[in-house]
Amino acid sequence: MKKIFRILLKIILGILGFFIVYILLALAIPYIGVNTEDKDKQEDVAIYIKTNGVHTDIVVPIKTEYKDWSEKIKYEHIASKDSTMQFIGFGWGDKGFYLNTPEWSDLKFSTAFNAAFYLGTSAMHATFFKQLKENESCVKINISKEEYAKLIAYIEDSFQYDSQGNPILIHATTYGQNDSFYEANRKYSLFYTCNTWANNALKAANQKAAIWTPSDKGIFCHYR
């Protein structure tokens, strides 16, 4: 019995130690920045980073001379079907969180466990906006057309596509009138979160970002 107790104690202490180290790294590493100098001074496109306090989206114009997102992420996919929208926000995350947890009060242990330990599947979340207001939760970034091309490629590579080359729509009713969901690549984990995805999107576009971050604060600290 004592031997079993010692084994259980070691396991508990190991798990506790893991989470302590993880939290310390998650608090410290995000302050190490990359792309701290803007090497391309062109300002062809205005994009935004937007957070709801937990999750970061990359928001871009729906239509520019460089890309028309509505060709694949269609207005018909959202409940409002409002074609007057001007911007589209992209987020990546665990499908269980997106579809089954519209509010934190809806969070189940199984959903959190699967997401944290690489057991779930992922989804892309598209949110349409008519306008955006700059504030502490929504920051405007001007980038060049070359940088935007890299960002486009990064976002497109995050989707799964059908045989016709269209993003695979997920029929979900848990969100608002201007949201749609699609099957995505990669899996969510403690080390690759929704904010890690957004942070990597900024890195792909040669913008200021954290070397790694699991949180939105690790992104926004480089823009404040």
Side-chain angles (χ1 to χ4, degrees), residues 121-175:
T121 54
S122 61
M124 286 292 290
H125 178 203
T127 309
F128 289 77
F129 300 95
K130 283 191 177 180
Q131 58 185 2
L132 292 167
K133 182 178 180 181
E134 292 181 68
N135 52 43
E136 288 189 354
S137 299
C138 184
V139 176
K140 182 179 178 181
I141 307 169
N142 293 309
I143 65 176
S144 70
K145 61 182 179 182
E146 290 80 12
E147 291 167 338
Y148 188 46
K150 293 176 181 178
L151 179 61
I152 291 169
Y154 177 87
I155 294 171
E156 289 181 332
D157 286 346
S158 299
F159 285 87
Q160 289 187 27
Y161 297 89
D162 62 21
S163 57
Q164 282 75 48
N166 296 309
I168 301 172
L169 179 67
I170 299 171
H171 296 282
T173 58
T174 51
Y175 274 66

Side-chain angles (χ1 to χ4, degrees), residues 67-85:
K67 177 69 177 180
D68 181 355
W69 291 100
S70 65
E71 291 178 352
K72 296 289 186 179
I73 314 299
K74 299 181 181 295
Y75 299 114
E76 290 79 9
H77 292 173
I78 58 177
S80 70
K81 304 188 187 306
D82 187 346
S83 61
T84 65
M85 297 294 183

Side-chain angles (χ1 to χ4, degrees), residues 172-206:
T173 58
T174 51
Y175 274 66
Q177 295 294 299
N178 301 312
D179 301 77
S180 54
F181 294 87
Y182 306 84
E183 299 288 351
N185 294 315
R186 296 199 63 147
K187 287 189 175 184
Y188 190 104
S189 74
L190 288 172
F191 298 97
Y192 194 91
T193 70
C194 52
N195 295 301
T196 310
W197 178 88
N199 186 67
N200 287 353
L202 293 170
K203 288 199 285 187
N206 300 324

